[in-house]
Amino acid sequence: MAVSVLRLGHRAFRDKRVSTHVALVARAFGASNLYYTGDHDSELEKSVDKITTAWGGPFKIEHVKGYTKFIQNFDGEKIHLTMYGLPYEKETKKLNKKDKLIIVGGQKVPWDVYEIVDKNIAVTSQPHSEIAALAVFLEHTSDKPKFKNAQQHIIPKEKGKEVVKNG
Ligand code: SAM
């Protein structure tokens, strides 16, 4: 099962850090693609590609012009993360084995998104953040990723830091 993330409404001047973190969480927790709407931002793409080059992939970031057709044409289960949705604890048990498109918002999410997806799922019914919602959701639903072609990897340690260059 492949997992992709769609981040809605990126604003190049205000959202660079949050969108970068959405991408990093998506990659670290097993998604293979981050699609985003809003401003096309080559700096965002470069910084995400740099992480993928250093720490491994496959992971692609790609701008898409509009969300409606993109969501409708996605061949798989389309899940919008929103505090107004049904609790993830129950809903994640009902997911099928199809590929997944996980949609997260930024500012106000347009109403039709709630209608064109298969499910609206909440990670608590409280407002928080797209980064946190995505991390919790993927931790509960995705397989642990195996990163390929990394330039380096970490040796986990109780204290200190150890990063080893791959041969
Ligand atoms: N006020 C916005 C709205 O009405 O759509 C939401 C803004 S929130 C800062 C940005 C994104 O974080 C949301 O679009 C949603 O994807 C995610 N999010 C925030 N709280 C959430 C929650 N409790 N469960 C799931 N996703 C959440």
Side-chain angles (χ1 to χ4, degrees):
M1 179 190 79
V3 178
S4 298
V5 175
L6 172 62
R7 194 268 198 275
L8 300 172
H10 171 71
R11 296 164 298 176
F13 288 107
R14 296 188 58 177
D15 296 333
K16 211 175 284 297
R17 191 170 157 80
V18 173
S19 296
T20 303
H21 286 191
V22 167
L24 298 189
V25 163
R27 177 190 160 278
F29 286 83
S32 47
N33 297 284
L34 186 276
Y35 300 103
Y36 68 102
T37 64
D39 298 339
H40 191 181
D41 185 346
S42 50
E43 265 184 53
L44 167 71
E45 295 179 5
K46 262 188 222 151
S47 66
V48 173
D49 286 343
K50 215 168 141 186
I51 295 286
T52 303
T53 303
W55 296 100
F59 187 77
K60 291 255 180 313
I61 177 166
E62 195 180 314
H63 180 258
V64 293
K65 278 208 176 112
Y67 63 84
T68 313
K69 283 261 169 330
F70 184 79
I71 295 173
Q72 285 169 339
N73 292 341
F74 182 82
D75 184 15
E77 202 170 15
K78 306 144 196 184
I79 296 164
H80 174 216
L81 298 182
T82 166
M83 64 179 176
Y84 304 106
L86 297 172
Y88 80 96
E89 293 91 335
K90 277 193 183 165
E91 293 307 306
T92 49
K93 293 190 181 117
K94 302 181 200 162
L95 298 179
N96 58 40
K97 298 260 180 266
K98 285 183 184 171
D99 289 349
K100 302 271 174 286
L101 180 66
I102 315 301
I103 300 144
V104 295
Q107 320 163 266
K108 198 163 174 56
V109 173
W111 179 244
D112 60 341
V113 173
Y114 293 77
E115 298 294 327
I116 60 178
V117 297
D118 297 310
K119 283 173 198 270
N120 290 284
I121 294 185
V123 177
T124 79
S125 300
Q126 301 296 324
H128 50 83
S129 116
E130 51 271 54
I131 304 167
L134 184 63
V136 171
F137 183 84
L138 291 179
E139 172 65 13
H140 281 81
T141 54
S142 292
D143 299 330
K144 284 253 176 299
K146 291 188 180 82
F147 296 104
K148 294 190 184 128
N149 300 320
Q151 292 174 334
Q152 57 193 19
H153 67 278
I154 288 171
I155 307 292
K157 294 179 89 75
E158 193 170 337
K159 291 185 179 180
K161 301 181 192 175
E162 190 176 353
V163 178
V164 175
K165 296 276 174 218
N166 296 342

